[in-house]
Amino acid sequence: MLVNRKLILAHFWLAFAVFGIALTLGAWQMFIRSPIGTWLSNPELYYRSLTAHGTVMGYVFPTLVAMGFGYAISEAALQQRLVGVRWAWVGFWLIVAGSVMAVIPIALGRASVLYTFYPPLIGNVFYYLGVVLVVVGSWIWVALMSVNLRVWRRAHPGAPVPLAMFANVAGSYLWAWTAVGAALELLLQIIPVAAGLKSTIDAGLARVFFSWTLHAIVYFWLMPTYIAYYTIVPRAIGGRIYSDSMARISFILFLVVAMPIGMHHTFADPQVGAGFKFIHSAFTALVALPTLLTVFTICASVEIAARLRGGRGMFGWIRALPWDNPMMLALAFSFIMLGFGGAGGLINMSYQLDASIHNTQWITGHFHLIFGGAIVIMYFAIAYDLWPHLTGRELIDVRLIRTQLWLWFIGMIVTTFPWHWVGILGMPRRMAYFDFGDPAIAPQALSVTLSAIGGFILLASGIMFIVILARGMRTPKIDAGPYRFALAVHQPATVPVALNTHALWVALMIGLTLTNYGYPILNLALSSGTSVPAVYVGAQ
Amino acid sequence: MSAEETHQASAEVAARVERRWATIAVIIVVMMALLAAFAGIHRATMPQPRVETIDPARIHLSGEFVEGNLGSVLEANGTVTVRAIGQQYSFTPACIVVPADTPITLRATSADVVHGILIQATNVNTMLVPGYISEQLMRFTRIGDYLMPCQEFCSFGHEGMWGKVKVIDKAEFADRAKGGGRLSCVGQ
Ligand code: HEM
Ligand SMILES: [Cu+2]
Ligand SMILES: [Cu+2]
């Protein structure tokens, strides 16, 4: 039962529009810093583009997808009209306003600080205020998800919360709390300096605040994808969820362990001591757990679908899968990219190995593979799956959809594998230009060229995606029927309270964050003499 | 067997397989943590353990990072200490000279914004955060030139911030260090 279709479509369309722009910038960046691009006489343009690309892809695009998908889940899984629609629109318009407010100083070259901010570099205050508005808009969504679940619970006392909604609300709480780190950094440290009220800032403390956000934000990006793995894929390919409770446990684990581990981003930093670095490293190992559980449950769910379709044998069932179904294709590609990306992630999180790739192009290669690859390809699949229910029209270009998914997968592999490789060779990230004429850098030229070619394949695929959705707004009307989520093999009649509510886990999430972050933050905040003069971008 | 019983039996199989996998997953995770601890104890490359602070506004005026103290120095115990600073958009010294097969301590900081030091083809890699001193232990086994780019965006000239490390023979270094003072390979 999707009632507020306009609201959901607005979120998706805005998400994919900004995605299209940022994707074009990404492909341009890749090209211009490769040997086939020509020297940019003004490298400053590269950093404007990079700030826009990172800000959109990191903050605006995934947030809008999570919000639109969240509203859809709330209505379809709870079978209940969205409560607070007016507030939802307020959230949407706050994001529009925030994005416009942020993009103007970026375009003018007044906010080329990149999406990670890293003071004491300070850009125009409106850039930061714009980002804050985007986050505030998304917090309205968090509140609405919570309210809608509460309303439903009152009408269905003791009933198991549908898995999709349980996971969706878990993701929204994770986002609410993980955004607090960057919010504190912005409100307490950066914005006062950007507004000219202060002129010094503690750069080390800012990095610790940012790491609070930087890790768990990736799980917020991941949430829609994991929700699709569990609650859409099995239905779309004619199978069942292998285990409802394991799914709940995975989402709970994300909620609890994604937060207190962000300082693995500061292994190479001088402002954090060995003790907390090691604690965060050990906790980081834990976060592999929900993903390992998910890979198992999803593979098992897929196997169920294959066997229901008559597949047999130890591995023979793989052939019985509906490979012409876009959802099947997307899932397979997503898992392959998740596998490679996950292996790379184990290197990043390692207390020692990190030193060999920290801040090299390996890192950008890594998160494009996981985020742009494994995660975003499922965003595509979610859009394709929801579209007929949102528009009341059929998506007829199934072949085109398959081609689009194939191109995204191939493009991602061609782009990111060489990208990892030059990282291992020590190529630093975030540089507008490389002197490939230098004999020490020349060996990287071929790899960077390959990445640039991959970038254009991705751009082509992204354009196809948008065209398919746009054409889907004009096909003949159909009755798509009610939107359904996958059922478990053993659909639970009751669920233990711990797997049906979030309060305990939210308390643990906050508690663990405070134990793992409280001391280092207080220690840095209270030590004097570490604030340094701000360096204003564009003022040089 | 009735449908109900088959259902029950299959649920039990499912639960058992799932438990087994969960156990394997937990073992993998514990192994990873133990490996990290083991490697840590055995002195592989380690993240910086201690926090040291410094006032970046005064580093040019006094203390260990004044201009005359930057570069490489042979300590009495045979180890080498290298002191360097990063600033928009260069390192001082821009070319660092060190001996091969010698324990070296790199001490560095930033005079303005966040920078990073990365020595290519090694795992020497650390952030330079103004207000704090970065320290890293290193040891080179191969003689030759290494590129040393800044690995963190430090504003519009970031792409031009490349330093160099020259690793020379131990005896040659000792020879050059005889006169005392701070060594570098700037201009060579
Ligand atoms: C699909 C979605 C994508 C997402 C979510 C994404 C996300 C990001 C993010 C968050 C950054 C970091 C910005 C920073 O370091 O400040 C980044 C950097 C970058 N992206 Fe993307 N990106 C995507 C697609 C692409 C594509 C298709 C290309 C083209 C090949 C591309 C090229 C780049 C380049 C060249 C950089 C800068 C790397 C550097 O200089 O360090 N991105 N991207
Ligand atoms: Cu992280
Ligand atoms: Cu730099």
Side-chain angles (χ1 to χ4, degrees):
Chain A
M1 188 181 77
L2 290 173
V3 182
N4 287 288
R5 293 185 283 191
K6 236 183 161 165
L7 176 76
I8 299 165
L9 269 177
H11 282 79
F12 279 130
W13 265 125
L14 183 59
F16 298 136
V18 295
F19 162 78
I21 298 170
L23 185 66
T24 312
L25 292 177
W28 176 78
Q29 285 157 210
M30 206 40 137
F31 169 74
I32 203 72
R33 66 178 180 66
S34 78
I36 49 177
T38 43
W39 157 245
L40 245 185
S41 53
N42 186 2
E44 194 239 310
L45 290 176
Y46 183 86
Y47 301 118
R48 291 187 201 189
S49 171
L50 189 52
T51 305
H53 178 82
T55 305
V56 167
M57 293 298 205
Y59 300 141
V60 184
F61 164 58
T63 304
L64 283 165
V65 170
M67 290 169 72
F69 190 37
Y71 292 132
I73 291 172
S74 181
E75 289 205 319
L78 299 183
Q79 305 198 359
Q80 165 185 299
R81 278 182 90 107
L82 189 72
V83 177
V85 177
R86 224 170 307 143
W87 279 105
W89 281 110
V90 172
F92 176 80
W93 286 109
L94 276 176
I95 293 189
V96 173
S99 305
V100 172
M101 192 188 276
V103 90
I104 294 173
I106 295 176
L108 295 175
R110 290 288 166 169
S112 301
V113 292
L114 311 193
Y115 86 117
T116 43
F117 312 142
Y118 293 148
L121 271 185
I122 297 288
N124 183 285
V125 67
F126 287 103
Y127 169 66
Y128 305 110
L129 291 175
V131 173
V132 169
L133 283 190
V134 169
V135 172
V136 171
S138 72
W139 279 347
I140 293 182
W141 165 76
V142 173
L144 285 178
M145 289 302 96
S146 177
V147 167
N148 276 275
L149 181 55
R150 190 157 310 165
V151 169
W152 184 87
R153 271 195 216 279
R154 215 170 295 140
H156 305 78
V161 175
L163 177 60
M165 188 63 179
F166 182 79
N168 177 38
V169 172
S172 77
Y173 290 154
L174 179 64
W175 169 239
W177 182 241
T178 197
V180 167
L184 289 172
E185 180 194 6
L186 285 169
L187 298 176
L188 300 178
Q189 293 195 279
I190 295 181
I191 291 178
V193 178
L197 304 173
K198 273 178 67 185
S199 61
T200 63
I201 188 161
D202 187 326
L205 177 60
R207 290 174 67 82
V208 172
F209 271 136
F210 195 75
S211 81
W212 164 327
T213 293
L214 188 56
H215 192 76
I217 197 175
V218 308
Y219 293 102
F220 169 60
W221 298 337
L222 195 79
M223 276 297 164
T225 293
Y226 271 46
I227 295 174
Y229 286 167
Y230 280 106
T231 70
I232 299 182
V233 170
R235 185 261 295 144
I237 64 171
R240 291 269 186 140
I241 308 173
Y242 185 74
S243 163
D244 178 86
S245 29
M246 198 54 112
R248 287 170 200 262
I249 290 171
S250 299
F251 286 107
I252 287 170
L253 279 172
F254 275 127
L255 195 57
V256 176
V257 297
M259 270 306 309
I261 63 179
M263 274 194 231
H264 59 215
H265 292 270
T266 64
F267 284 163
D269 282 20
Q271 81 280 4
V272 182
F276 276 95
K277 282 176 182 167
F278 189 78
I279 290 173
H280 281 241
S281 171
F283 268 88
T284 305
L286 276 181
V287 93
L289 204 56
T291 293
L292 289 170
L293 296 179
T294 298
V295 168
F296 172 81
T297 306
I298 302 305
C299 288
S301 310
V302 169
E303 183 180 341
I304 291 172
R307 298 213 184 271
L308 285 174
R309 296 166 58 91
R312 32 192 94 250
M314 183 87 160
F315 293 105
W317 56 268
I318 293 174
R319 247 175 307 138
L321 287 169
W323 287 109
D324 52 354
N325 182 331
M327 188 60 76
M328 186 65 233
L329 216 51
L331 175 76
F333 293 153
S334 180
F335 262 44
I336 295 171
M337 293 188 279
L338 187 70
F340 283 114
L346 293 182
I347 291 173
N348 306 347
M349 59 146 267
S350 150
Y351 196 47
Q352 287 90 7
L353 283 178
D354 174 63
S356 53
I357 42 83
H358 174 73
N359 266 359
T360 65
Q361 295 287 357
W362 164 284
I363 300 297
T364 29
H366 165 73
F367 68 71
H368 280 82
L369 183 56
I370 284 262
F371 183 15
I375 295 178
V376 169
I377 205 165
M378 290 308 290
Y379 290 0
F380 297 155
I382 291 169
Y384 289 144
D385 196 61
L386 269 174
W387 220 246
H389 298 269
L390 295 174
T391 59
R393 296 163 196 276
E394 197 179 0
L395 282 182
I396 42 174
D397 310 307
V398 182
R399 281 181 71 129
L400 201 60
I401 290 178
R402 281 201 297 266
T403 314
Q404 188 267 323
L405 294 171
W406 268 106
L407 281 183
W408 192 261
F409 173 66
I410 294 169
M412 243 338 138
I413 300 291
V414 174
T415 306
T416 59
F417 278 39
W419 211 344
H420 279 79
W421 173 243
V422 290
I424 293 178
L425 296 180
M427 183 183 237
R429 65 187 282 201
R430 303 178 142 178
M431 282 199 165
Y433 171 77
F434 295 96
D435 178 12
F436 293 103
D438 184 323
I441 302 180
Q444 297 156 13
L446 177 65
S447 302
V448 179
T449 307
L450 279 175
S451 285
I453 293 169
F456 288 115
I457 300 176
L458 287 170
L459 181 59
S461 172
I463 293 171
M464 281 170 73
F465 170 67
I466 291 171
V467 168
I468 292 168
L469 293 188
R471 292 223 309 215
M473 309 286 294
R474 273 186 269 137
T475 44
K477 285 256 175 207
I478 53 153
D479 175 16
Y483 191 78
R484 287 185 207 289
F485 292 94
L487 296 176
V489 177
H490 305 285
Q491 191 66 18
T494 59
V495 173
V497 179
L499 297 186
N500 206 33
T501 53
H502 301 89
L504 170 65
W505 310 114
V506 169
L508 249 176
M509 165 181 84
I510 295 178
L512 277 174
T513 312
L514 295 181
T515 54
N516 277 12
Y517 267 101
Y519 178 78
I521 287 181
L522 279 180
N523 199 25
L524 284 169
L526 297 179
S527 66
S528 57
T530 47
S531 283
V532 301
V535 177
Y536 294 92
V537 166
Q540 288 135 320
Chain B
M1 253 202 304
S2 72
E4 184 52 39
E5 277 167 357
T6 334
H7 189 85
Q8 192 56 38
S10 82
E12 271 161 27
V13 173
R16 199 165 58 235
V17 177
E18 202 172 74
R19 259 200 309 277
R20 224 174 275 159
W21 175 256
T23 313
I24 295 174
V26 170
I27 292 173
I28 293 175
V29 167
V30 172
M31 284 294 295
M32 287 192 303
L34 287 180
L35 268 173
F38 176 81
I41 290 162
H42 281 254
R43 299 292 301 170
T45 316
M46 288 284 280
Q48 174 169 350
R50 281 184 311 142
V51 178
E52 277 181 84
T53 61
I54 186 170
D55 181 355
R58 303 187 49 82
I59 58 176
H60 296 289
L61 307 173
S62 64
E64 69 171 296
F65 291 99
V66 294
E67 181 121 29
N69 202 35
L70 298 177
S72 313
V73 58
L74 185 57
E75 306 286 358
N77 63 3
T79 67
V80 168
T81 304
V82 178
R83 291 193 180 78
I85 57 175
Q87 66 260 304
Q88 287 173 327
Y89 298 102
S90 63
F91 295 104
T92 314
C95 183
I96 291 173
V97 63
V98 289
D101 300 317
T102 309
I104 301 165
T105 306
L106 170 68
R107 287 176 63 76
T109 188
S110 162
D112 42 42
V113 300
V114 176
H115 301 276
I117 280 192
L118 161 76
I119 303 179
Q120 288 193 341
T122 72
N123 51 10
V124 177
N125 194 340
T126 187
M127 303 305 303
L128 305 183
V129 180
Y132 300 86
I133 298 174
S134 302
E135 183 174 293
Q136 223 178 18
L137 303 179
M138 51 194 198
R139 185 187 189 103
F140 295 87
T141 49
R142 191 170 54 79
I143 287 174
D145 289 357
Y146 297 75
L147 289 181
M148 184 180 74
C150 168
Q151 41 80 328
E152 185 54 273
F153 176 69
C154 49
S155 200
F156 301 147
H158 170 57
E159 73 287 338
M161 187 165 167
W162 292 70
K164 204 189 234 177
V165 174
K166 207 180 210 17
V167 179
I168 60 174
D169 183 66
K170 207 170 165 169
E172 189 189 339
F173 186 87
D175 202 38
R176 284 178 54 186
K178 268 199 197 111
R182 308 290 176 252
L183 301 183
S184 81
C185 43
V186 174
Q188 288 174 16

